[in-house]
């Protein structure tokens, strides 16, 4: 129970002014621009876009600046802003096979068609602090000239999916039944999640889910609190064209491109009475360069398929309601943060109850002791 | 006309192409090329530039059933030239100017007397620009391609 508390207006105004001062920091140091954040902290920007569930790097960078770098606060700002915009329909399903690859690696096949392309990565670095960045020296950049282009990359040809190699032998499940038409997926921004939730809704939920939460769930399920220790079949990052069909035109047009990271996990599956032993898939995708997120989504996504694949649901990561209702950092933060609101009356009542209980217990002990003394 | 019939139509295909080029080009690059043309067509807004969101859809496993991924900002605009030709634009992001210029160019590209000029002086250079960026990214990616050395072990 909350009681209206008045009298804090002046203090709140001053607290916000102080926040703005602290956000600005030492005025002798140049102010950070939104463009600088967007260009130089792109991985932080990508996280805001993912969990804010809006692809717009400039808005995400602005939110990050406004929130003094607090990711969850920035995500909240972006989510709040999206509610002010009208919805112009749905895009055509993005064709990630036509992605312009900037990075693509497989943990299952060394010589995959199209090759392993490392792109830009922190993998294989020694994780030693680079003090040249502290000295504000110019950072080393990639040489302008590069190797001769492979024909496929130069022509912008699509790279076939690694898992299709297994598909040819029938060793892996298909991502859809042949002859299945497209179903219109439920949109959890328009209707609440019903359990059990279909795969499309689970993916939408995971894509906007908290990266840390999903990472930890994946870790737990790989360590034994779940049955998910897969191979990374393929991970790819690159640009994909976005198409939509405006009502007034009636044909699809390209409206721009998005940078995406996609992860496909290959899990063992021992088969069931209806299905032969084969590999199954976990799928993850994220805005921008967000491998940790995409992999975590793929791992949790696969764990949540336990029920449909006839696996026993034994662990929290396999429990839809446990996972899907706790992924959202805005909800989680809101509920934890609400404890900061005045609970004066609730607490008063509990305080009085504890006092009364202690008093009653004290009286009972005292009368018991008196009785024992009398009986002695 | 059904969607399929319209897509088969060469005029529609040409329009899809230029609308894609206008939308995918950076706003500043488009503006630069547009201003160099010094065109000042008379027009009125059918729809003022308006920013909103579209829900992006992906496919489960990349090729399975569609699912909703998250939204993306976009700006749309519609103009009518004095001749009555309608120009439409849907452009990712929140730039009203980008949407206005793209809608105007779309209208002028449908007009017989301006189509060739805009194709040569606007769409082709923008397309070349997009292609150069594409090649640059491809070259960068290609420089990180792994060449494995395989050690021969055993008899065969």
């Amino acid at each position: 129970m909350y009681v209206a508390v008045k009298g804090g207006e002046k203090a709140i105004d001053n607290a916000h002014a102080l926040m703005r001062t602290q956000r600005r920091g030492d005025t002798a140091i140049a102010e950070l621009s939104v463009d600088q954040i967007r260009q130089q902290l792109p991985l932080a920007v990508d996280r805001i876009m993912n969990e804010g569930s809006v692809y717009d790097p400039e808005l995400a960078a602005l939110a990050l600046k406004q929130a003094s770098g607090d990711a969850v606060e920035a995500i909240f700002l972006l989510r709040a802003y999206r509610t002010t915009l009208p919805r112009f329909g749905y895009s055509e399903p993005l064709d990630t096979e036509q992605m312009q690859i900037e990075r693509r690696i497989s943990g299952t096949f060394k010589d995959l068609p199209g090759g392993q392309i490392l792109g830009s990565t922190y993998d294989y670095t020694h994780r030693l602090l680079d003090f040249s960045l502290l000295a504000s020296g110019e950072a080393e950049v990639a040489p302008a000239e590069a190797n001769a282009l492979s024909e496929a990359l130069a022509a912008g040809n699509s790279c076939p999916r690694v898992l299709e190699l297994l598909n040819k032998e029938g060793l892996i499940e298909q991502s859809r039944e042949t002859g299945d038409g497209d179903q219109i997926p439920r949109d959890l921004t328009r209707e609440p999640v019903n359990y059990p939730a279909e795969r499309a809704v689970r993916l939408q939920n995971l894509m906007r889910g908290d990266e840390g939460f999903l990472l930890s769930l994946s870790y737990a399920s790989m360590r034994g609190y779940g049955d998910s220790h897969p191979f990374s079949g393929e991970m790819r990052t690159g640009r994909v064209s976005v198409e939509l069909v405006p009502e007034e035109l009636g044909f699809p047009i390209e409206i721009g491109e998005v940078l995406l990271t996609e992860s496909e996990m290959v899990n063992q599956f021992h088969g069931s009475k209806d299905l032969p032993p084969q590999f199954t898939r976990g799928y993850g995708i994220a805005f921008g360069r967000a491998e940790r997120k995409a992999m975590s989504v793929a791992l949790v996504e696969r764990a949540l398929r336990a029920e449909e694949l006839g696996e026993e649901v034994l662990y929290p990561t396999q429990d839809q309601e446990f996972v899907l209702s706790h992924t959202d950092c805005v909800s989680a933060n809101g509920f934890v943060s609400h404890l900061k609101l005045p609970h004066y009356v609730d607490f008063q009542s509990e305080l009085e109850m504890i006092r009364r209980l202690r008093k009653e217990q004290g009286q009972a002990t005292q009368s018991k002791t008196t009785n024992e003394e009398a009986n002695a | 006309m059904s969607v399929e019939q319209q897509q088969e139509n060469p005029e529609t295909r040409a329009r899809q192409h230029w609308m894609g080029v206008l939308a995918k080009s950076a706003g500043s690059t488009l503006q630069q090329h547009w201003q160099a043309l010094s065109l000042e067509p008379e027009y009125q807004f059918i729809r003022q530039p308006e920013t909103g969101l579209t829900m992006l859809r992906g496919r489960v496993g990349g090729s399975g059933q569609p699912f909703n991924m998250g939204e993306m900002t976009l700006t749309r605009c519609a103009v009518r030239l004095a001749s009555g030709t309608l120009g439409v634009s849907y452009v990712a992001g929140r730039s009203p100017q980008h949407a206005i210029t793209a809608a105007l160019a779309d209208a002028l590209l449908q007009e017989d007397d301006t189509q060739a000029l805009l194709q040569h002086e606007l769409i082709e250079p923008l397309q070349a620009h997009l292609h150069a960026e594409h090649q640059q990214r491809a070259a960068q990616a290609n420089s990180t391609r792994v060449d494995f050395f395989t050690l021969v072990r055993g008899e065969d």
Side-chain angles (χ1 to χ4, degrees):
Chain A
M1 178 180 147
Y2 314 111
V3 177
V5 179
K6 285 195 167 190
E9 291 94 337
K10 183 74 185 149
I12 289 172
D13 285 348
N14 288 344
H16 288 166
L18 188 56
M19 174 271 289
R20 287 189 288 272
T21 309
Q22 281 184 358
R23 179 171 65 202
R24 177 59 185 87
D26 183 349
T27 50
I29 293 167
E31 190 180 343
L32 193 58
S33 75
V34 170
D35 275 343
Q36 284 172 327
I37 294 172
R38 188 180 161 182
Q39 290 294 322
Q40 297 173 38
L41 298 174
L43 302 184
V45 169
D46 289 344
R47 178 161 183 192
I48 309 306
M49 293 201 298
N50 270 309
E51 293 171 43
S53 202
V54 175
Y55 194 99
D56 188 316
E58 190 183 53
L59 284 181
L62 168 63
L64 200 57
K65 175 173 172 162
Q66 190 179 329
S68 311
D70 178 346
V72 176
E73 184 69 26
I75 289 156
F76 196 169
L77 290 168
L78 196 53
R79 288 273 187 93
Y81 179 75
R82 74 160 279 283
T83 64
T84 66
L85 294 177
R87 171 77 74 78
F88 303 156
Y90 294 81
S91 83
E92 294 293 286
L94 304 184
D95 186 356
T96 51
E97 198 149 321
Q98 300 299 322
M99 176 184 280
Q100 192 198 357
I101 303 285
E102 68 169 54
R103 172 167 161 83
R104 172 179 185 246
I105 53 169
S106 170
T108 52
F109 294 102
K110 179 164 62 76
D111 295 312
L112 64 163
Q116 307 253 6
I117 295 161
L118 302 182
S120 91
T121 181
Y122 282 94
D123 297 349
Y124 336 107
T125 61
H126 293 117
R127 268 80 184 201
L128 299 173
L129 277 175
D130 179 358
F131 286 93
S132 68
L133 295 174
L134 185 62
S136 73
E138 278 294 302
E140 202 184 315
V141 294
E145 85 278 9
N147 307 358
L149 278 179
S150 82
E151 280 173 28
L153 270 181
N157 288 351
S158 59
C159 277
R161 283 173 196 288
V162 171
L163 296 192
E164 292 308 314
L165 300 173
L166 289 169
N167 205 0
K168 282 180 189 151
E169 279 188 75
L171 299 179
I172 193 161
E173 61 171 342
Q174 308 259 16
S175 44
R176 66 154 58 184
E177 298 301 318
T178 29
D180 258 10
D182 279 357
Q183 284 157 13
I184 293 174
R186 254 182 230 269
D187 182 353
L188 61 77
T189 67
R190 293 294 162 98
E191 40 185 332
V193 178
N194 288 321
Y195 296 101
E198 56 265 52
R199 202 173 172 192
V201 171
R202 300 199 302 253
L203 253 173
Q204 185 182 8
N205 174 291
L206 296 176
M207 229 190 124
R208 68 204 322 249
D210 184 84
E211 182 174 311
F213 179 65
L214 296 175
L215 177 67
S216 295
L217 285 179
S218 310
Y219 182 41
S221 79
M222 285 173 70
R223 284 192 67 246
Y225 295 87
D227 190 18
S228 189
H229 197 121
F231 297 96
S232 171
E234 180 174 4
M235 188 154 57
R236 44 164 81 192
T237 300
R239 288 161 174 266
V240 179
S241 166
V242 179
E243 288 190 349
L244 57 81
V245 182
E247 260 176 42
E248 66 269 40
L249 296 179
F251 53 81
I253 53 166
E254 286 179 276
I255 62 161
E257 286 180 324
V258 286
L259 185 65
L260 298 173
T261 301
E262 201 180 25
S263 163
E264 282 208 272
M265 295 287 177
V266 190
N267 290 60
Q268 262 189 26
F269 178 58
H270 301 296
S272 65
K273 60 179 195 297
D274 305 318
L275 293 167
Q278 61 177 352
F279 292 113
T280 53
R281 307 175 185 214
Y283 182 71
I285 189 161
F287 290 153
R289 298 181 182 96
E291 295 185 350
R292 192 185 302 121
K293 174 68 182 278
M295 290 177 83
S296 302
V297 170
L299 281 157
V300 176
E301 202 271 328
R302 173 59 184 82
L304 289 176
R305 295 181 63 205
E307 212 165 327
E308 72 185 57
L309 291 168
E311 296 167 339
E312 214 176 340
V313 175
L314 295 168
Y315 302 101
T317 315
Q318 298 166 314
D319 181 335
Q320 288 195 13
E321 209 161 337
F322 174 78
V323 174
L324 300 182
S325 46
H326 299 119
T327 50
D328 194 90
C329 75
V330 177
S331 304
N333 177 53
F335 203 45
V336 170
S337 297
H338 103 282
L339 295 176
K340 294 187 286 189
L341 289 170
H343 286 67
Y344 306 142
V345 175
D346 303 57
F347 188 68
Q348 269 311 312
S349 74
E350 297 221 355
L351 200 61
E352 269 168 36
M353 186 171 70
I354 292 282
R355 282 193 184 122
R356 185 164 48 79
L357 288 174
R358 286 174 64 96
K359 202 169 150 192
E360 282 169 11
Q361 194 188 36
Q363 280 171 350
T365 324
Q366 210 174 27
S367 62
K368 199 177 160 199
T369 327
T370 322
N371 283 346
E372 278 166 10
E373 275 168 9
N375 290 343
Chain B
M1 250 193 305
S2 74
V3 172
E4 288 75 19
Q5 280 169 331
Q6 281 205 34
Q7 276 172 259
E8 286 309 308
N9 181 340
E11 280 173 27
T12 307
R13 294 247 297 276
R15 194 169 174 205
Q16 282 174 307
H17 176 256
W18 73 57
M19 288 182 87
V21 171
L22 291 166
K24 286 193 291 183
S25 294
S28 52
T29 319
L30 169 64
Q31 224 44 44
Q32 209 181 332
H33 283 87
W34 172 255
Q35 276 162 6
L37 290 170
S38 310
L39 293 169
E40 277 166 16
E42 263 185 59
Y43 69 94
Q44 64 184 85
F45 283 117
I46 299 299
R47 182 191 279 139
Q48 292 273 353
E50 179 188 17
T51 296
L53 295 164
T54 187
M55 177 59 89
L56 297 174
R57 279 188 175 149
R59 288 188 180 279
V60 178
S63 52
Q65 286 293 338
F67 72 97
N68 295 308
M69 294 173 58
E71 289 159 312
M72 176 191 200
T73 52
L74 81 165
T75 304
R76 64 181 180 186
C77 177
V79 296
R80 182 162 55 209
L81 301 180
S83 66
T85 306
L86 283 178
V88 175
S89 69
Y90 281 77
V91 176
R94 289 169 295 108
S95 165
Q97 190 56 58
H98 191 159
I100 295 170
T101 308
L104 278 172
D106 176 51
L108 292 171
L109 277 154
Q110 296 172 67
E111 299 271 272
D112 289 338
D113 50 341
T114 43
Q115 188 175 62
L117 173 77
L118 263 74
Q119 275 291 0
H120 294 133
E121 304 292 322
L122 189 67
I123 300 302
E124 283 169 22
L126 289 174
Q127 170 83 56
H129 211 87
L130 288 173
H131 183 69
E133 286 174 350
H134 185 281
Q135 292 301 93
Q136 162 83 14
R137 286 193 297 266
Q140 282 176 336
N142 198 54
S143 71
T144 67
R145 176 190 300 276
V146 180
D147 288 319
F148 282 109
F149 292 98
T150 311
L151 295 174
V152 180
R153 291 196 294 189
E155 294 291 300
D156 53 5

